[in-house]
Structure formats: structure tokens, C-alpha cells
Amino acid sequence: MTTLSPTPRSTLTRKKDRGATDRQALYDVLDEALICHLGLVLDGSPVVLPTGYGRDGDTLYLHGSTGAGNLRAAAKGIDVCVTVTLLDGLVYARSLNNHSMNYRSAVVHGRARLVQDAEEKMHGLHVVTEHLTPGSWDHARAVNPKEFASVAVLALGLEEASVKIRAGGPGEEPEDEDRTDIWAGVVPVQTTFGAPVPADYVPSDMRVPPHVNRARAR
Amino acid sequence: MTTLSPTPRSTLTRKKDRGATDRQALYDVLDEALICHLGLVLDGSPVVLPTGYGRDGDTLYLHGSTGAGNLRAAAKGIDVCVTVTLLDGLVYARSLNNHSMNYRSAVVHGRARLVQDAEEKMHGLHVVTEHLTPGSWDHARAVNPKEFASVAVLALGLEEASVKIRAGGPGEEPEDEDRTDIWAGVVPVQTTFGAPVPADYVPSDMRVPPHVNRARAR
């Protein structure tokens, strides 16, 4: 059946000393994905919210979300789990049980802190903005003081992180070796970007700037 | 900045009586997305795992994940939050603060139960399989008793669910009205499927079956 956690090809242990290869795999997943899912415990129950984020070295910056309003009170830190998933393929096997998905996922555990220092908060907003819409920081109108006060930024270290990758073809069972009547293989899944649609107030002769086209090309 | 929870256009309240329109919006998001993010609390800390799922009426079936092995012990039920997110666009505004994403997300809260009844468990596996790889249930080799025993299925009702949708162009601020030097608009984001890649043991003259091509066309 379809589960996302068979075949962990690459798992980081919860130790601070780990191979550069694993660390790079973590960075690659975090840098390629567009959004994360932020998990936290509110009143004893789990809450999972889709959230914008960005990475700077071994720190993730998260954009404070309305739905997690309680986060603002958590200036001292709050246990979170940030999960990022890239779905790469649908895996059809000869047995239903070996049906699966190709994917890369990163799971980060830690205590997120609300960024209070103004300079770091602005830096965090920069990192989050450039992750999703690279080039916008220099192109668009800067954040004014009122806007700056209205947003929250969380910081989370990447000390406790793991990566799981499933890639390649379907698993096989000896009992299915002669079943040449069953198709098996992978349907690749990709995230693609369409042609930019200008807002109706943008002058009709204005070209789409290079940074927007670059974002599409990734 | 980039946040996923501004502009909630459609929010289901936590009441059992709600409009058919909202309910349909919930179904639409759940049926279109491929994976969910399952949040639960383990040893007091939040854990978020990418997970396969499927919907049958007002029940979500989830494929038990290795990473959530403790779920097997939770036969009496465990509080979970299941979040499904479809990213539809990158929203570039004239102000950084109005940068955003177009998305549709569903958040389901509830107490998931481990499905123990064999008939319902098989039904749950059917629902999960057909969600991600429609047509495979009738095409591939059925689950044998050993495989059946090795998997776990969770069931979660859709009583407590909400949908958030952000669509359309970027937000505007009066102070930016004259800034015709800044591009604003939306870059659409889509999930697309590549050409099926057969496993190397599939006969070279075997055509890709219709159910696999149908899955690509959605």
C-alpha cells in the first residue's frame, strides 16, 4: 500500500556530528521545497499548519501564522516539529502491498524561539521571502514599521533533523516473479510553474522581471 | 511576507451542521491532494509525518507509518491533526508584506482509531490505494494474510474540519498605488505527472495500462 516511510535510504541520527553528505541531503530537501508543515501542541492537542519558511545555514526561519496566534506568547520557546516533503513519484508494484511513493522528506524537531531582536527578525523575513520569491527583497517596497510589528518570525535550529528518501523502482516479491500480466513502474511527480499572471494594475507594457522568471525556472 | 494563512475565504466552523458548499470544498481539497501531514503528540512533543490517505464519505483512512509505530498501541484512539495543502501560486505584491501564496488547505482534528475489524481494515487499504494509484486495486496482486497483518490503518472522522483558501491576485496598499516600477502578480504552481517509467522486469511490449494513464491525467 501507499506509505511514505518505507526504505529510509538516508537517516540522520540525532547527533550533532554527522556526515557532510547527510547534512547536504537535509539542506537540499529544505531548499527545494516551497512550504513546510509546522506541528505544535496547543492545549494538549496536535496542530499542523502549512507555513512559509527559509533556511540560513543551520537555522530555519518560519513565518508566524495567524492560526498559531498562541505562538506570539511563546517567547521563551515552544516544542515544534517542522516537516518538509517533496513527492517525486507514484510507485506501482505487482503486489498492492509494495505500492509506494518516491519522496524526500525532512523532519526537524526542536524548540522554536520567537525572534525578538529587530535586526534578526528583519533578517528572518528576508530569508523567508527569498526562499519562496527570490529577488523580491530588492525589487518590492520594503517593510514599514507597522507591517514589521504585525508579523512574527520563529527561529529553529537544525540540530535534531532527519531525512528520508525513497527513490527507484517498485519492490518485488518472489511470488510475483511470473506475473507478467501486471504493470509495475513509477509515474514521476513534479512541481511546475505556469506563466506569470500580472496583477491588473501592472502597466501592460511592463515586462516580467528576471527574478520572477528565475523563480519559475527552479 | 510569505504566510499561508492570510485571507481565509472559506472556514468551516467546528459544528456538525454546516453548508454543503463548505463541505464540498473540504472534500475537493482532500480528494485532489496526494499526501497528508499527520500530526500527533509523542512523549509530549509534536511529531508530523507525511502519510498516505484516502477519503470515504466523512471518514479519512490513513496508512499506518513506520515512524508512528506507537500508533499500533493506540488502539483506543489518539488525538491527531491531519493537514492537507495544495499550493496553487506564488503571489508577488508591490509591498514585501503582501507577498503571499495561493493555496487550499484542509485541517482535520479528531481522535483517530486503529482499525481492528478485518473487513473495515481491508476497505481502508482499498480507499488509501485507490486515492493515490486509482485502478491498482483491481490490477495488482491482492494483499496476502502476512502482508495484511504487517500494515496498520487508522480511521478519522471529518466532524472537526476546516478549509482555508487563498486565491486571486496580490493585496494592495494605498501607499503603493503609484509604484508602477514594481511588478506584481501570480506565478501559478501545479503538480504534474511525467511519462510512466516501467520497472525493468516488465515485458518491453507491455503497454501502460489505462488506469495508470488515467492517474496521470488528473
Side-chain angles (χ1 to χ4, degrees), chain A residues 132-133, chain B residues 1-7 87 89-93 95-103 166 169-171 185:
Chain A
L132 202 71
T133 51
Chain B
M1 305 303 143
T2 49
T3 176
L4 265 175
S5 39
T7 331
L87 184 59
L90 310 178
V91 180
Y92 293 75
S95 65
L96 284 172
N97 194 59
N98 278 331
H99 274 57
S100 187
M101 298 182 236
N102 282 340
Y103 69 99
R166 200 238 180 255

Side-chain angles (χ1 to χ4, degrees), chain A residues 50-70:
Chain A
T51 305
Y53 74 99
R55 181 182 72 84
D56 177 27
D58 283 320
T59 302
L60 277 193
Y61 288 103
L62 306 171
H63 195 280
S65 150
T66 325
N70 304 21

Side-chain angles (χ1 to χ4, degrees), chain A residues 119 121-131 133-143 148 211, chain B residues 1-2 92 94-97 99:
Chain A
E119 195 176 330
K121 182 176 171 182
M122 190 63 86
H123 176 67
L125 292 177
H126 183 179
V127 170
V128 172
T129 301
E130 290 295 292
H131 178 81
T133 51
S136 276
W137 194 261
D138 291 332
H139 180 78
R141 194 259 298 159
V143 184
F148 187 70
H211 72 276
Chain B
M1 305 303 143
T2 49
Y92 293 75
R94 291 196 282 202
S95 65
L96 284 172
N97 194 59
H99 274 57

Side-chain angles (χ1 to χ4, degrees), chain A residues 48 65 83 94 99 136 141 186, chain B residues 5 48 83 94 99 136 197:
Chain A
V48 179
S65 150
T83 300
R94 291 196 282 200
H99 273 57
S136 276
R141 194 259 298 159
V186 176
Chain B
S5 39
V48 179
T83 300
R94 291 196 282 202
H99 274 57
S136 277
V197 180

Side-chain angles (χ1 to χ4, degrees), chain B:
Chain B
M1 305 303 143
T2 49
T3 176
L4 265 175
S5 39
T7 331
R9 284 243 197 123
S10 170
T11 300
L12 299 179
T13 57
R14 293 191 177 189
K15 293 176 183 174
K16 291 199 180 181
D17 51 347
R18 54 174 74 88
T21 308
D22 284 349
R23 182 107 314 230
Q24 190 59 49
L26 173 67
Y27 294 161
D28 289 348
V29 171
L30 293 174
D31 294 349
E32 181 174 333
L34 296 169
I35 62 162
C36 71
H37 281 81
L38 166 66
L40 45 102
V41 182
L42 290 181
D43 298 329
S45 292
V47 177
V48 179
L49 301 167
T51 305
Y53 74 98
R55 182 182 72 85
D56 178 27
D58 283 321
T59 302
L60 278 193
Y61 288 104
L62 305 171
H63 194 281
S65 150
T66 325
N70 304 21
L71 284 187
R72 291 179 162 278
K76 290 176 186 169
I78 182 169
D79 277 341
V80 300
C81 176
V82 171
T83 300
V84 163
T85 308
L86 294 159
L87 184 59
D88 293 327
L90 310 178
V91 180
Y92 293 75
R94 291 196 282 202
S95 65
L96 284 172
N97 194 59
N98 278 331
H99 274 57
S100 187
M101 298 182 236
N102 282 340
Y103 69 99
R104 290 163 287 155
S105 72
V107 177
V108 183
H109 291 276
R111 185 161 281 252
R113 69 185 160 82
L114 188 65
V115 177
Q116 312 257 24
D117 177 77
E119 193 176 332
E120 188 188 3
K121 182 175 169 183
M122 190 63 87
H123 177 66
L125 291 177
H126 184 179
V127 169
V128 172
T129 300
E130 291 294 293
H131 178 80
L132 202 71
T133 51
S136 277
W137 194 260
D138 291 331
H139 180 77
R141 193 258 297 159
V143 184
N144 67 33
K146 188 180 169 188
E147 292 165 345
F148 188 70
S150 75
V151 294
V153 174
L154 294 173
L156 175 65
L158 293 179
E159 288 76 26
E160 267 193 75
S162 61
V163 172
K164 277 190 181 175
I165 298 175
R166 200 238 180 255
E172 301 177 58
E173 303 301 330
E175 71 176 279
D176 302 320
E177 276 177 11
D178 298 330
R179 295 297 301 270
T180 52
D181 56 322
I182 305 175
W183 190 85
V186 175
V187 172
V189 178
Q190 284 142 354
T191 296
T192 53
F193 300 90
V197 180
D200 45 17
Y201 49 78
V202 168
S204 56
D205 59 349
M206 187 179 189
R207 299 180 64 171
V208 176
H211 72 277
V212 176
N213 284 319
R214 271 202 305 277
R216 289 178 62 204
R218 61 188 165 176

